[in-house]
Amino acid sequence: MKEACVILDLNNDSFCWHFPPDGSSSHIPDSRPLWEVIWENKDNISGVAHSHPGEGIPAPSHEDLSTFAAIEAALGIRLNWGIVNRDWTVL
């Protein structure tokens, strides 16, 4: 399973799904178009959820945490970061 992500609006409804064609089961590659959607909608975003392969309770990787911090620093806002796998959704 390749990783994917979804951007959530202020009502926690999905408004942008991102299925990178060059994605892998271990990461979502950097994407200028995805960043542009995030930047252009920064006043209407509550968070971003992404998938992790496997089972069990998902936890953010070191790369996840540094990415979350960089995005929040660039936007100047805090976001909710969900992680989903076949067994769990962690917000």
Side-chain angles (χ1 to χ4, degrees):
M1 173 175 76
K2 291 183 180 182
E3 284 197 21
C5 72
V6 60
I7 302 172
L8 305 171
D9 67 15
L10 296 175
N11 294 318
N12 289 322
D13 292 324
S14 60
F15 74 88
C16 177
W17 286 87
H18 180 64
F19 299 98
D22 55 344
S24 75
S25 62
S26 64
H27 72 283
I28 297 171
D30 290 340
S31 167
R32 183 175 183 95
L34 177 61
W35 171 249
E36 288 173 352
V37 169
I38 292 170
W39 182 257
E40 291 168 5
N41 293 282
K42 66 183 178 182
D43 294 331
N44 298 311
I45 293 176
S46 67
V48 179
H50 75 283
S51 60
H52 271 194
E55 301 171 347
I57 299 172
S61 67
H62 176 72
E63 185 172 352
D64 288 340
L65 295 175
S66 63
T67 299
F68 301 163
I71 291 172
E72 289 181 346
L75 296 176
I77 58 174
R78 296 271 307 171
L79 296 172
N80 296 314
W81 298 97
I83 303 174
V84 178
N85 71 10
R86 93 180 56 173
D87 293 337
W88 289 83
T89 298
V90 177
L91 301 174

